[in-house]
Amino acid sequence: MSINENLEKLSNACGVAGRENQVRDIMIQLLRSYADEIQVDKLENVIAIKKGKANSPKIMLAAHMDEVGLMVKTITKDGFLQFTKMGGIDDRILPAQKVIIYTKKGQYPGIVGSKPPHIQKEEERKKIITYDDLFIDIGAESKEDAANLGVSIGDAIAFDVKYTNLGKDVVIGKAFDNRAGCITMVETLKLLGQTDCTVCAVGTVQEEVGLRGAATAAFGVDPDLALALDVTIAGDVPGVREFDTTVKMGKGPALTISDSGLITHPKVLRWLIDTAEEEKIPFQLESGLLGSTDAARISITRQGIPCGTVSIPTRYIHSPVGMLSLKDIENSAKLTAAAIQKTTKYF
Ligand SMILES: [Zn+2]
């Protein structure tokens, strides 16, 4: 299956933080043929191990499987669902979104509703409606009706967005943060072939709510070095200053120099930049970005682990629909696989 087909499958699946099971199942399927062993740890991170030679470095790749989304918090007596946010979502993008509720009886559609603008007072219309004043309308008549449809408190709610190809390499879809990283990890193993290093490719859980899966996985795997495979903001849209970010969609993987949780280990940065230059793979450098990735948590595990991040430039992350270039995924996987082959020269 191509990157396009596998990303479509991953993007359309639900993996709201803490409810990553659909994505985990797909990842196990995709990783199986390239790994010697697959484990699922107690927090339900999936760990695919490709064994190398004894005494060679052990590399951890981390791609988080979860996405930002919503979760049912209460059901009103009239059958409306009130919700909590799982991860960083801007309240301003929520009204009128189509969503899917993942209930014990299967998927159920709904829309995010609010008080109609026609009957809002002048001052109300100027204010941002925060998520606690919004609700999800599933057309139920009562709390009992909603319960009969299978809806329960704690059900995951994802945006109802279907993956779509635009032009040659550009695609739009849900949860590219971080299904783009997940598919990059699969592609990296596919390209890798024989290697001296042992590679542990980890699909982590609960990144969007505080890098939690990465913390336990890194402790368990105990790697010599690690790379997070994630997305980053593509700033090539109107209104973004060059100072804020110079990263552009379609111009190659972004290598983090620093973000709010990680200063990339100098040796890791050298290793990645040298590899990209030797292999003639386009890349972009970024520094001083707010936000972070699994690498931040992994780097401070045990006595400290040299870490870096390879990111796919993605427009409109943490919104219902993102945009990226499949070329950037291809090049991110090429760079990661080539770097792994050169590890022993650096570590
Ligand atoms: Zn992410």
Side-chain angles (χ1 to χ4, degrees):
M1 290 262 265
S2 66
I3 294 177
N4 189 36
E5 287 165 311
N6 285 331
L7 182 60
E8 174 168 17
K9 239 204 259 179
L10 284 163
S11 167
N12 289 343
C14 171
V16 174
R19 302 282 189 274
E20 295 91 353
N21 46 300
Q22 283 190 8
V23 180
R24 185 169 35 251
D25 291 348
I26 298 171
M27 286 300 280
I28 290 172
Q29 262 180 32
L30 294 178
L31 290 165
R32 186 168 280 144
S33 39
Y34 312 113
D36 298 306
E37 192 184 328
I38 298 217
Q39 301 171 353
V40 176
D41 75 5
K42 289 179 188 165
L43 225 56
E44 303 199 326
N45 297 295
V46 52
I47 305 170
I49 305 167
K50 189 170 161 54
K51 290 182 183 142
K53 289 189 186 141
N55 303 323
S56 285
K58 190 197 278 181
I59 304 182
M60 174 175 172
L61 302 177
H64 71 88
M65 300 186 291
D66 60 317
E67 72 194 74
V68 295
L70 312 172
M71 190 171 273
V72 179
K73 182 172 160 64
T74 46
I75 304 171
T76 71
K77 65 176 186 354
D78 299 321
F80 294 97
L81 316 183
Q82 292 170 312
F83 57 84
T84 183
K85 297 194 287 184
M86 304 302 287
I89 296 180
D90 186 344
D91 289 347
R92 290 173 299 181
I93 54 125
L94 286 172
Q97 288 296 334
K98 280 174 75 183
V99 294
I100 298 172
I101 302 112
Y102 289 83
T103 78
K104 56 178 176 287
K105 290 188 182 172
Q107 301 182 16
Y108 205 83
I111 58 167
V112 180
S114 61
K115 185 174 166 185
H118 319 75
I119 52 171
Q120 285 174 9
K121 298 200 183 79
E122 183 73 29
E123 317 81 76
E124 277 183 311
R125 255 181 270 149
K126 284 185 198 147
K127 277 201 304 195
I128 295 166
I129 312 169
T130 52
Y131 76 97
D132 50 330
D133 281 329
L134 297 167
F135 50 83
I136 292 167
D137 190 345
I138 55 168
E141 288 175 359
S142 63
K143 198 176 204 160
E144 293 68 38
D145 193 15
N148 286 335
L149 295 170
V151 178
S152 316
I153 290 168
D155 284 349
I157 305 162
F159 297 111
D160 185 5
V161 172
K162 292 283 166 279
Y163 185 86
T164 309
N165 286 81
L166 306 179
K168 193 165 149 272
D169 297 316
V170 176
V171 295
I172 55 174
K174 176 181 76 69
F176 285 167
D177 183 3
N178 184 31
R179 306 300 146 66
C182 290
I183 192 63
T184 300
M185 191 163 75
V186 173
E187 285 299 307
T188 299
L189 288 204
K190 193 193 270 184
L191 293 176
L192 204 52
Q194 273 314 309
T195 165
D196 290 350
C197 303
T198 291
V199 180
C200 296
V202 186
T204 63
V205 296
Q206 300 182 39
E207 191 264 3
E208 297 289 0
V209 290
L211 318 176
R212 295 175 193 165
T216 62
F219 189 91
V221 169
D222 192 13
D224 297 299
L225 66 151
L227 289 177
L229 306 176
D230 210 320
V231 298
T232 190
I233 296 162
D236 50 349
V237 296
V240 180
R241 297 181 306 165
E242 196 166 314
F243 177 79
D244 295 319
T245 177
T246 53
V247 171
K248 295 180 174 60
M249 187 175 87
K251 301 291 179 210
L255 307 178
T256 301
I257 295 172
S258 71
D259 62 26
S260 49
L262 177 82
I263 299 168
T264 297
H265 194 287
K267 253 193 194 175
V268 173
L269 198 57
R270 191 70 273 149
W271 168 56
L272 293 173
I273 292 175
D274 285 355
T275 303
E277 285 173 346
E278 285 160 21
E279 302 296 318
K280 301 193 170 35
I281 299 165
F283 68 98
Q284 314 179 65
L285 295 174
E286 65 175 344
S287 65
L289 212 67
L290 294 174
S292 203
T293 69
D294 277 342
R297 186 61 75 90
I298 298 166
S299 71
I300 51 169
T301 301
R302 294 181 184 251
Q303 298 99 322
I305 295 165
C307 275
T309 304
V310 176
S311 304
I312 294 100
T314 305
R315 293 181 184 166
Y316 324 118
I317 56 175
H318 286 219
S319 84
V321 55
M323 179 187 283
L324 58 75
S325 164
L326 296 170
K327 270 262 161 278
D328 287 331
I329 293 181
E330 214 180 294
N331 281 321
S332 298
K334 265 191 203 161
L335 172 58
T336 310
I340 292 170
Q341 293 295 6
K342 295 174 197 273
T343 310
T344 44
K345 269 173 51 189
Y346 294 82
F347 298 92

